[in-house]
Amino acid sequence: GAGVSQSPSNKVTEKGKDVELRCDPISGHTALYWYRQSLGQGLEFLIYFQGNSAPDKSGLPSDRFSAERTGGSVSTLTIQRTQQEDSAVYLCASSLDRGREDGYTFGSGTRLTVV
Amino acid sequence: AQSVTQPDIHITVSEGASLELRCNYSYGATPYLFWYVQSPGQGLQLLLKYFSGDTLVQGIKGFEAEFKRSQSSFNLRKPSVHWSDAAEYFCAVGEVNTGFQKLVFGTGTRLLVSP
């Protein structure tokens, strides 16, 4: 597609439920990133996929968080047993191999509210 | 670990006045540096980037930034601010141990534009 697409744009869930957030990157972009933006905070790195390499999961805050990327394209971020502190905007971005020189293209984010 | 500091949480500028947003980074060699802008409810848009060459870089929407190695700074400037520039601005640096592919973001500066 023309841009990075994220769905849903808003999600309200009850504490303890599982949620799945979807990211559809720009076609041909080999790198995909998930960041979390909490109210008044900067962007917190979560996970990074680059081609067929093992993902960099160093930013996932707990084992309740996981992500996968199927076929080198669409990615799903799953949060199990959601907690109120998981409430945030989850941003996805993608880039070409040369993302370090071209920068990322971000989606509009999914706003997650845990009640 | 590398870090980015944006010392100003909020800045208010009168429409038509000049703007400078501060960014300091930690990294000894030449970094990969970026400025992004986030309008309310939107993802982040790349304004400009630096990784080599001329230390004064031009970006979109009339913004520019100057890389100063001696000060470890990459401040964003605009000579005349428009009301539509009101947004949140993020500085970012490429993390060296990921080949500069993964970005570390500052906490952002919210720009308010007064009439």
Side-chain angles (χ1 to χ4, degrees):
Chain A
V4 177
S5 176
Q6 291 188 248
S7 60
S9 54
N10 281 283
K11 176 72 176 179
V12 180
T13 190
E14 292 181 353
K15 179 181 171 181
K17 300 277 185 157
D18 297 351
V19 294
E20 285 189 353
L21 312 181
R22 176 187 168 104
C23 174
D24 202 340
I26 291 174
S27 178
H29 277 194
T30 57
L32 186 147
Y33 314 81
W34 284 97
Y35 284 80
R36 178 168 71 174
Q37 185 177 25
S38 302
L39 189 63
Q41 302 295 312
L43 276 73
E44 175 189 7
F45 167 77
L46 297 177
I47 188 169
Y48 153 45
F49 296 89
Q50 172 62 61
N52 295 321
S53 303
D56 176 351
K57 304 179 183 180
S58 60
L60 294 179
S62 77
D63 59 8
R64 296 186 295 105
F65 288 72
S66 63
E68 63 176 20
R69 188 177 184 192
T70 53
S73 181
V74 172
S75 176
T76 302
L77 177 69
T78 300
I79 308 173
Q80 295 179 310
R81 305 181 302 281
T82 51
Q83 303 296 312
Q84 288 187 328
E85 61 263 28
D86 299 333
S87 296
V89 176
Y90 289 81
L91 291 166
C92 175
S94 68
S95 72
L96 294 165
D97 263 345
R98 292 165 57 87
R100 64 186 185 183
E101 294 170 0
D102 295 333
Y104 300 173
T105 301
F106 279 88
S108 298
T110 293
R111 180 175 298 278
L112 175 65
T113 304
V114 182
V115 297
Chain B
Q2 288 169 264
S3 64
V4 175
T5 302
Q6 293 181 250
D8 303 304
I9 298 174
H10 296 101
I11 282 186
T12 300
V13 174
S14 299
E15 189 168 15
S18 63
L19 168 71
E20 182 167 24
L21 302 182
R22 295 184 291 166
C23 172
N24 292 96
Y25 63 90
S26 69
Y27 180 58
T30 301
Y32 284 69
L33 293 161
F34 303 83
W35 274 100
Y36 285 84
V37 60
Q38 185 180 34
S39 298
Q42 301 296 312
L44 279 72
Q45 181 183 21
L46 179 65
L47 282 176
L48 47 75
K49 59 195 176 188
Y50 172 81
F51 52 89
S52 68
D54 193 345
T55 56
L56 183 64
V57 293
Q58 303 297 319
I60 62 171
K61 304 185 180 189
F63 285 92
E64 66 179 28
E66 186 170 13
F67 169 62
K68 292 187 177 180
R69 183 189 302 277
S70 62
Q71 298 177 18
S72 297
S73 70
F74 188 56
N75 293 350
L76 182 71
R77 301 194 295 243
K78 186 169 185 177
S80 177
V81 167
H82 188 261
W83 64 266
S84 60
D85 293 324
E88 187 141 24
Y89 292 80
F90 292 93
C91 182
V93 64
E95 194 175 73
V96 62
N97 62 7
T98 65
F100 307 100
Q101 189 83 8
K102 189 171 85 180
L103 296 185
V104 175
F105 286 84
T107 51
T109 297
R110 182 167 298 279
L111 173 65
L112 305 172
V113 180
S114 61

